[in-house]
Amino acid sequence: MDLSIRDITYCKGVGTRRADIFRKELKVQTALDLLRYYPYKYIDRSRFISIADIEDDETYIQIKGEITEFHTIGIGKGQRLSATFSDGRHTMELVWFRQIQYVKLLLHTPYLLFGKPSRFNHAWNMVHPELTPLEKVRPETTQGLEASYSMTEKMRQSGLNSKAIRSILLNMKDDILSGIPETLGMDVVNHFHLMGLTEALWNIHFPKDTSSMQRARERLKFEELFYIQLQLLRQMHRREQNAGFLMPKVGTFFHSFYCDCLPFSLTGAQKRVVHEIQDDLKSGRQMNRLLQGDVGSGKTLVALLCALLAADNGYQTCIMAPTEILAQQHLETLKSLLKDLPVRVELLTGSVTKKQREPLHEALRMGDVHILIGTHALLEDEVEFANLGLCIIDEQHRFGVAQRAKLWAKNIRPPHILVMTATPIPRTLAMTLYGDLRVSVIDELPPGRKPVHTLHYSLERRRSVYQFMQQQIDLGRQIYVVFPLIKENESLDLKDLQNGYNELCEAFPTLRISMVHGQMKNRDKDEQMRRFTSGETQILVATTVIEVGVNVPNASVMVIMNAERFGLSQLHQLRGRVGRGADQSYCLLLTRVELTKETRQRMETMVATNDGFRIAEADLQLRGPGDLEGTQQSGLPFELKIASLATDGQILELARQAAAEILEKDPLLQEEINRIYKRRLDTLRETAVNWADIS
Ligand code: ADP
Ligand code: MG
């Protein structure tokens, strides 16, 4: 019988109560859903060890031996049962805290002990172990790898543990092995030497050996990544059928800026990227492009050049920034770059008052504004354009589908879209989170940049850091000092910031110090920033509000307090605030003395390299897929159950290549041999949440 329509309730060993838990906890509705609930690890049950060989408390172990004595310790609720287990040479303690009246074990009888050891007073013990009389151990349980499934608390409480899941699946063995319909074409399976689906789904739960487990995992990862790529690429192809505004002309706006205002020549990478975008703009198709480039690589200038091209062709541009400060900064940058060219640039953020808005709305509707810079506020319905043709999104987070739809509705056709990342993202992430966009990369910094020297100190040595700061200030430089700020804990952090500020005032009694943080009124914040930008103050104490966009070339030292509390890409962003002038710049990372291994590696990475792409890779490796889940959930068409963007880059490349080849021959998946893909995509879309196909 088709397992995809067999209700989980009627699978042997399930019943209504367990089915209910499966549905609520795991969204498992059918037998096939359970089969697609993959184990997260395996325990090697073919291995038996002796007590002397126990190495760590991470792995499950099996030991053959017998119980030599029992003790009951304590009374009433706190009572526990303890036993001494001997493997013939050494002994260890076994402990039960709960339901000890049910522990029925015999002395001096051979048992197989199974469980996770823990260390107490320099000796190993095991809490709530599993003990099976040796003569009753079924040979198949000790033959190989045993699957472990992640469990919710509810599942655990009702005994729906790994053993129970395995046994339910075992009951379906014949149905499974009689064949699960393939989800990949045979040509793909053969070409990439993949395990067939039936074999893979069996071996993922009951692997014959390590190599079949690995082959099964590989096959399922491939399938998962393949369908994500197929969906994204199909989306991209389909969108490229959309007619796009034609912008073939290079006119006076672009020319006069390029010839009269450009303060330097473009880097080779900037030129290349502008050409790529220009080709899109004159293709007649809607552009959807990702612009990647390291901090300071000059993305803003590229954005401006594109906006001028749009203006030359009679179209307006909007630039969306993630924060007000950044939007403000963009406005100032563009205005100063444009000098007195007749290009009108305006700002629209949440703090623009209603009164100021009305004339702005009117000017936008009349087409008098060429470039509108803003935050999410510019998505609002009242914001109407005469002829919006290009939208540039300077972002850190992925733009939601709903927001995108709003943008698209602002003209009779969707405008061209250029997404700029704040810092580089690893290739695997780019291919999945932004897999439906064409990619342009600025892989070259403007000439003459001196790499920032990065040093790591413990907070205890901050006095010597202060000395260094004083020397730099004596040379005429300015300094940023950044304190962490984590939202949920704002008041505490603010106190840290205030204490830090006070300490700096004491340490530098002759200097003037600015302070900005997120809870200040905009007016005060602006005033403090102005004082620093103009050189009136020498030190700027700040929370991460300065993370993006701030540009003060004379500031050449970035001091980051409690750097252990920042992620790698954040640290890299912060460091990008210095090294913009002609002087040698420094980034000083101050942390606690005691650091976790992961934090230490983060600091070492920062010290070792200035290359944003390498940092992004290291970040992905260090944090692993777990921490990226938030991003994954919001950015991926389908959930990843087994593949990892941190470690499965190679499979991802192959899967994308396979998907691209199929779509190249049959973009709409209409041919008979490709029906299998179309059907599977439909099924996946039905079950996927948060995904609307808006094109
Ligand atoms: P990001 O890519 O981080 O947004 P910006 O666009 O802010 O970088 O550029 C960083 C700095 O480099 C700015 O001060 C900008 O004026 C300068 N810059 C950009 N392009 C060039 C270039 N081709 N030559 C010299 N300086 C440049
Ligand atoms: Mg920028």
Side-chain angles (χ1 to χ4, degrees):
M1 185 189 166
D2 185 350
L3 294 181
S4 70
I5 52 171
R6 185 190 295 174
D7 190 324
I8 189 73
T9 321
Y10 307 117
C11 294
K12 196 170 159 224
V14 182
T16 46
R17 199 182 56 86
R18 284 182 157 187
D20 216 40
I21 296 172
F22 271 138
R23 264 191 295 269
K24 286 200 181 115
E25 300 293 302
L26 303 181
K27 296 202 195 87
V28 164
Q29 314 255 15
T30 65
L32 189 64
D33 291 344
L34 186 63
L35 205 52
R36 290 279 191 179
Y37 188 63
Y38 310 133
Y40 77 99
K41 67 166 186 189
Y42 299 86
I43 294 158
D44 187 353
R45 299 225 54 170
S46 62
R47 212 174 143 230
F48 301 91
I49 63 169
S50 57
I51 292 170
D53 294 337
I54 303 178
E55 282 172 357
D56 59 52
D57 54 8
E58 296 287 304
T59 10
Y60 281 87
I61 50 166
Q62 300 188 105
I63 303 173
K64 291 175 184 167
E66 57 179 45
I67 293 169
T68 53
E69 39 182 342
F70 282 110
H71 308 278
T72 317
I73 301 159
I75 46 159
K77 266 202 163 167
Q79 197 175 48
R80 63 192 163 95
L81 176 69
S82 146
T84 306
F85 184 83
S86 161
D87 66 2
R89 311 190 73 183
H90 300 88
T91 63
M92 72 188 280
E93 195 193 4
L94 309 180
V95 190
W96 291 263
F97 296 103
R98 282 175 272 122
Q99 302 186 317
I100 62 179
Q101 65 273 30
Y102 299 117
V103 179
K104 301 255 181 314
L105 295 165
L106 302 170
L107 286 173
H108 306 295
T109 308
Y111 277 107
L112 177 65
L113 170 75
F114 174 76
K116 240 186 198 178
S118 44
R119 207 171 168 77
F120 186 69
N121 277 346
H122 306 290
W124 290 106
N125 65 34
M126 197 180 283
V127 177
H128 290 196
E130 201 181 296
L131 285 147
T132 318
L134 215 43
E135 52 172 35
K136 287 203 181 149
V137 172
R138 298 216 316 265
E140 61 269 25
T141 55
T142 57
Q143 262 165 5
L145 299 170
E146 189 175 277
S148 283
Y149 301 84
S150 36
M151 256 169 289
T152 65
E153 196 47 44
K154 281 232 171 65
M155 289 168 72
R156 196 166 294 139
Q157 280 165 6
S158 37
L160 212 43
N161 53 21
S162 292
K163 200 168 167 185
I165 292 177
R166 283 196 308 270
S167 126
I168 296 166
L169 287 169
L170 259 181
N171 293 337
M172 298 194 263
K173 181 173 182 179
D174 292 344
D175 289 319
I176 297 167
L177 292 183
S178 71
I180 308 284
E182 226 344 306
T183 50
L184 294 173
M186 279 329 287
D187 48 340
V188 171
V189 171
N190 291 334
H191 183 260
F192 293 97
H193 307 288
L194 299 172
M195 201 180 234
L197 182 61
T198 303
E199 204 186 342
L201 282 178
W202 181 254
N203 274 282
I204 198 77
H205 298 286
F206 303 102
K208 204 165 71 223
D209 48 34
T210 314
S211 104
S212 28
M213 179 265 283
Q214 266 154 0
R215 298 242 310 130
R217 283 175 62 80
E218 230 165 73
R219 142 77 207 215
L220 296 170
K221 286 175 176 185
F222 184 96
E223 176 189 313
E224 205 165 81
L225 294 167
F226 170 84
Y227 275 101
I228 287 180
Q229 291 306 323
L230 195 65
Q231 169 71 15
L232 290 168
L233 288 171
R234 208 164 154 232
Q235 182 92 8
M236 179 162 88
H237 284 302
R238 213 184 301 158
R239 245 201 257 116
E240 286 176 352
Q241 305 308 307
N242 286 353
F245 295 120
L246 257 177
M247 306 187 184
K249 211 165 94 191
V250 184
T252 38
F253 285 129
F254 189 93
H255 273 309
S256 42
F257 174 75
Y258 204 92
C259 301
D260 306 336
C261 306
L262 203 57
F264 31 63
S265 44
L266 295 184
T267 62
Q270 281 171 320
K271 277 189 201 150
R272 193 188 64 237
V273 164
V274 171
H275 279 302
E276 285 166 5
I277 295 170
Q278 236 175 333
D279 285 344
D280 286 351
L281 298 183
K282 60 184 182 205
S283 72
R285 292 189 301 265
Q286 187 214 1
M287 171 174 80
N288 281 279
R289 191 169 277 280
L290 175 72
L291 176 57
Q292 280 223 68
D294 209 344
V295 189
S297 62
K299 295 185 287 286
T300 318
L301 192 58
V302 171
L304 175 59
L305 289 169
C306 298
L308 293 175
L309 278 174
D312 275 336
N313 290 275
Y315 292 94
Q316 293 164 291
T317 297
C318 69
I319 301 180
M320 276 188 55
T323 62
E324 289 210 6
I325 291 203
L326 188 57
Q328 182 77 43
Q329 179 97 29
H330 274 323
L331 178 76
E332 280 153 26
T333 310
L334 293 204
K335 279 194 162 164
S336 75
L337 279 168
L338 287 165
K339 299 198 183 117
D340 18 279
L341 280 189
V343 178
R344 184 160 165 199
V345 190
E346 293 287 345
L347 181 73
L348 179 60
T349 65
S351 55
V352 174
T353 63
K354 211 167 172 252
K355 228 174 93 199
Q356 293 165 318
R357 268 181 206 217
E358 273 158 19
L360 179 55
H361 285 169
E362 181 60 18
L364 283 167
R365 264 197 303 272
M366 297 306 294
D368 294 342
V369 175
H370 298 97
I371 302 174
L372 179 67
I373 300 176
T375 52
H376 278 66
L378 57 78
L379 288 176
E380 286 162 17
D381 291 336
E382 314 89 80
V383 185
E384 292 170 328
F385 293 83
N387 198 10
L388 179 66
L390 171 64
C391 183
I392 300 172
I393 301 158
D394 191 5
E395 67 159 5
Q396 294 163 297
H397 306 289
R398 189 171 164 88
F399 204 42
V401 170
Q403 295 164 327
R404 205 181 329 171
K406 279 196 156 180
L407 259 182
W408 286 23
K410 291 204 183 281
N411 206 341
I412 47 166
R413 268 182 217 156
H416 296 295
I417 306 278
L418 181 67
V419 178
M420 304 196 293
T421 58
T423 48
I425 47 178
R427 193 172 149 73
T428 50
L429 278 186
M431 271 198 300
T432 39
L433 295 183
Y434 300 96
D436 55 344
L437 307 179
R438 304 264 170 201
V439 180
S440 289
V441 183
I442 308 186
D443 49 6
E444 180 186 352
L445 291 180
R449 292 272 169 87
K450 290 203 187 92
V452 180
H453 276 313
T454 303
L455 302 157
H456 175 203
Y457 288 93
S458 80
L459 280 160
E460 284 166 17
R461 291 185 53 207
R462 64 181 173 283
R463 292 283 147 197
S464 47
V465 171
Y466 291 165
Q467 266 173 24
F468 174 77
M469 286 165 66
Q470 185 66 57
Q471 284 164 15
Q472 291 293 308
I473 286 169
D474 291 342
L475 290 170
R477 317 269 188 271
Q478 288 168 284
I479 297 179
Y480 298 103
V481 182
V482 175
F483 287 83
L485 184 123
I486 291 169
K487 272 233 167 63
E488 307 92 74
N489 208 351
E490 240 161 336
S491 57
L492 190 73
D493 288 325
L494 228 43
K495 220 174 108 215
D496 283 354
L497 180 75
Q498 190 66 50
N499 291 342
Y501 175 76
N502 295 344
E503 189 177 310
L504 286 166
C505 288
E506 271 168 44
F508 302 101
T510 59
L511 298 184
R512 285 179 302 273
I513 304 182
S514 290
M515 175 161 76
V516 291
H517 57 78
Q519 294 196 346
M520 280 162 81
K521 287 212 184 72
N522 276 338
R523 247 205 358 249
D524 300 339
K525 211 167 16 186
D526 289 348
E527 173 58 12
Q528 293 289 323
M529 285 303 293
R530 189 199 59 72
R531 291 179 68 212
F532 185 68
T533 317
S534 68
E536 214 175 297
T537 55
Q538 289 89 32
I539 297 180
L540 176 70
V541 176
T543 57
T544 34
V545 292
I546 64 155
E547 186 181 329
V548 268
V550 176
N551 194 10
V552 181
N554 190 49
S556 65
V557 182
M558 168 64 65
V559 180
I560 305 175
M561 298 289 183
N562 288 104
E564 71 273 11
R565 287 175 60 188
F566 292 93
L568 261 180
S569 70
Q570 234 179 344
L571 291 171
H572 182 61
Q573 263 288 326
L574 285 168
R575 179 168 60 183
R577 299 306 104 212
V578 296
R580 295 177 164 234
D583 311 308
Q584 176 60 55
S585 297
Y586 300 89
C587 175
L588 307 177
L589 307 168
L590 276 73
T591 66
R592 287 185 318 225
V593 181
E594 296 278 323
L595 295 177
T596 63
K597 187 169 156 232
E598 193 261 355
T599 314
R600 187 160 295 287
Q601 279 178 341
R602 230 182 311 146
M603 298 307 133
E604 282 166 6
T605 305
M606 284 297 293
V607 171
T609 181
N610 277 303
D611 179 342
F613 282 93
R614 271 180 65 193
I615 288 176
E617 276 301 334
D619 198 20
L620 183 61
Q621 301 306 329
L622 282 176
R623 286 196 301 165
D627 265 317
L628 294 163
E629 232 158 72
T631 2
Q632 287 186 8
Q633 301 304 318
S634 63
L636 294 187
F638 315 124
E639 175 196 16
L640 287 181
K641 289 183 184 172
I642 187 165
S644 148
L645 296 181
T647 51
D648 297 325
Q650 243 173 337
I651 302 179
L652 177 60
E653 298 268 0
L654 295 177
R656 186 166 172 100
Q657 180 196 325
E661 269 167 31
I662 290 167
L663 288 174
E664 199 176 320
K665 290 192 209 116
D666 180 15
L668 301 175
L669 299 179
Q670 281 168 326
E671 281 169 32
E672 188 53 36
I673 49 159
N674 291 330
R675 286 273 289 284
I676 185 172
Y677 300 121
K678 196 154 195 268
R679 225 175 303 137
R680 178 80 184 148
L681 273 182
D682 289 341
T683 316
L684 286 169
R685 260 200 309 261
E686 262 166 43
T687 44
V689 276
N690 294 336
W691 183 260
D693 198 340
I694 60 162
S695 59

